[in-house]
Amino acid sequence: MKHTILLIALLVACLSFGQDAPLSMFDNLVNKTWKAEGSWGDGTKFVQEIEIKYALNKTAVIAESVGFIDKQQTKLGPRNHGIRQFDPKTKTVRFWEFDAFGGLTEGTVFAKGKNIIYQYQYGTSTVTDMWEYVDDNTYNFKVGDYQDGTWKQVYLSTQFKSQP
């Protein structure tokens, strides 16, 4: 009986330690600066540089973005302040992205392998941003209508690379 209880306790401990922390999907992105340039489907430019770090004893991820801060897309500056955090009530990772124009985008984040997928409402549509892992310093980045593992429409396709 003692051996059974000890074996069960050991098994529970191993299973508990073996599970990933909810924010571990961001481990490769943290403490790096990521830069991408491209064009949206309507031809407008996309330029973004993101610095990502852990905060609050690794219970939150902070993303500070530089991008266009004017409608004419001529001036770069602090564009977005983002927060990612595990929500214990819904058992999901949620995100909030505040922008320089007073807007707020919020939704959920999940991992599929090494890919990181953001989903959120934009008007009446559900939009997906995907960081598709290429290697530790490169992610393909797509924004669009992603349903059941298939891109129905892509609004932006570019690549984020970590900066030295």
Side-chain angles (χ1 to χ4, degrees):
M1 182 70 170
K2 285 185 195 178
H3 295 304
T4 304
I5 293 173
L6 181 61
L7 186 59
I8 290 172
L10 185 60
L11 183 60
V12 168
C14 287
L15 289 174
S16 296
F17 285 114
Q19 298 192 6
D20 286 339
L23 299 178
S24 65
M25 70 180 97
F26 298 104
D27 283 351
N28 186 57
L29 299 177
V30 170
N31 297 326
K32 295 179 183 176
T33 299
W34 297 87
K35 188 171 183 177
E37 292 187 24
S39 295
W40 290 97
D42 66 2
T44 57
K45 289 188 276 180
F46 174 82
V47 174
Q48 197 165 69
E49 186 172 299
I50 306 171
E51 184 178 328
I52 301 172
K53 62 185 177 186
Y54 279 119
L56 303 173
N57 199 27
K58 287 190 164 185
T59 62
V61 174
I62 305 298
E64 298 288 349
S65 302
V66 170
F68 290 116
I69 56 171
D70 63 338
K71 299 288 184 188
Q72 298 76 26
Q73 295 186 303
T74 58
K75 187 175 178 184
L76 292 172
R79 174 74 168 76
N80 293 62
H81 174 82
I83 302 166
R84 292 90 170 103
Q85 192 168 40
F86 179 71
D87 181 347
K89 291 178 187 166
T90 62
K91 305 277 191 243
T92 60
V93 176
R94 299 188 62 219
F95 78 92
W96 300 264
E97 199 76 30
F98 302 89
D99 68 41
F101 303 105
L104 169 63
T105 302
E106 58 182 299
T108 58
V109 188
F110 61 94
K112 194 171 191 179
K114 291 185 175 185
N115 300 336
I116 301 169
I117 301 168
Y118 292 76
Q119 291 190 315
Y120 53 95
Q121 288 300 123
Y122 187 79
T124 59
S125 301
T126 298
V127 177
T128 299
D129 294 4
M130 182 184 291
W131 287 66
E132 182 183 34
Y133 181 86
V134 175
D135 61 42
D136 284 353
N137 296 303
T138 310
Y139 285 83
N140 291 327
F141 181 68
K142 289 184 182 178
V143 178
D145 181 2
Y146 183 76
Q147 299 174 29
D148 303 319
T150 304
W151 290 100
K152 305 295 182 192
Q153 186 173 5
V154 176
Y155 312 131
L156 172 71
S157 182
T158 188
Q159 203 170 62
F160 272 100
K161 291 194 168 275
S162 68
Q163 302 302 293

